[in-house]
Each structure stands twice: as C-alpha cells, then as structure tokens.
Amino acid sequence: MIALLLLEVVALVVLPVCDRPVVGGALFGAGVAGLAVAGVLWQRLRRRRHPVVPQAEADQDSWFSAHSLEGFPMEAVRPLLLSAHAPSLNTLYTAWVFATHGHDAGWIARHLSLPAGVVRLLADARPAGRTEARTPPTGRPARRVPE
C-alpha cells in the first residue's frame, strides 16, 4: 500500500498533466484490488484459525445445549426467585450448568456472586451420574465434585 502511495506521488511529479488522471486511476484501481485480495486472505486465515463447527457438533459439545437444564430443580428454586434480593434465573441456570460440569459450590458462589445456600441447593439437586468433566470455556480442566 505504501508502495502504491509512493508511485502516486512520483507519478504526480514526473508525468505531464494530461497523463496524471489515467495513471492515478490505474494506481487507485490497483490499490482497491490489493485491498480486496488482502481482505479475502484475511477471511481465509480467520476461518482456518476458527473453523465453523456444524450445529449438531456444537450442540453435542456445548455446555449450554438443549439438554443442559435437564433436572434443574425449579420447584426448589422458585421461593428464592420470589424473595427480596433474588438472583436472576439466568444466573441460577448458569450455576446449574457449572454444577453439572464438576465445579464445586464454593467456586460457583465465588464466581457468580451467589449465596452459598443457593449454590448448595443446586449442587445437592444435581443427579448423581450427571457430573461431566469436560473442559470449560476458559480452557482449564473442570474439577469433579466429590459425591
């Protein structure tokens, strides 16, 4: 790009006035074509680094899939949602997913700013065989909760 800019400046200084628009237009076209090629190469490089995962695979490996809220203790949580300083339902859903993926109650309470009693209720309601030790979104391995 800098080379094209330098060629433009040289063309404006060296060429006669009648030839400047033609050469300037050609250099402008070359610059636009160069930007287009750079954009295409950039997109290909990004796709290679972050490949698009088919939806079926994404659902299977996702922490937040259609099956991630199975067994959620809504009846036990409902009184908490009606209290004065109630946590949001989305925060409770997130705590549930973390609990089913092996995080202990202390970790969940600390990271989601939830009362320990609420998190303990979710951790205790988790089905016995439900703990999944997959790698969490942060890239660190999940810890298993002792049963």
Side-chain angles (χ1 to χ4, degrees):
M1 289 301 162
I2 295 173
L4 287 173
L5 182 62
L6 289 174
L7 280 174
E8 182 82 31
V9 170
V10 169
L12 290 175
V13 172
V14 175
L15 292 175
V17 176
C18 63
D19 291 337
R20 288 181 186 167
V22 174
V23 172
L27 290 174
F28 178 76
V32 170
L35 282 174
V37 168
V40 168
L41 291 175
W42 177 260
Q43 286 298 322
R44 285 190 178 186
L45 181 64
R46 284 188 55 205
R47 282 193 189 133
R48 190 175 304 154
R49 271 194 229 150
H50 306 289
V52 177
V53 179
Q55 189 60 36
E57 285 182 36
D59 286 345
Q60 186 179 12
D61 292 337
S62 176
W63 276 39
F64 299 94
S65 67
H67 303 292
S68 59
L69 294 179
E70 287 178 0
F72 182 78
M74 183 53 110
E75 294 307 317
V77 169
R78 191 177 313 276
L80 298 170
L81 295 172
L82 299 175
S83 66
H85 300 288
S88 73
L89 185 58
N90 286 335
T91 304
L92 293 176
Y93 285 159
T94 303
W96 173 255
V97 171
F98 281 140
T100 59
H101 281 83
H103 290 282
D104 60 35
W107 186 93
I108 296 169
R110 202 170 44 252
H111 284 84
L112 296 180
S113 300
L114 287 172
V118 173
V119 178
R120 178 59 55 201
L121 180 129
L122 293 173
D124 291 344
R126 182 187 66 231
R130 182 75 196 276
T131 303
E132 302 169 20
R134 282 194 246 158
T135 304
T138 60
R140 294 185 304 247
R143 290 176 285 174
R144 285 210 177 259
V145 176
E147 299 288 330

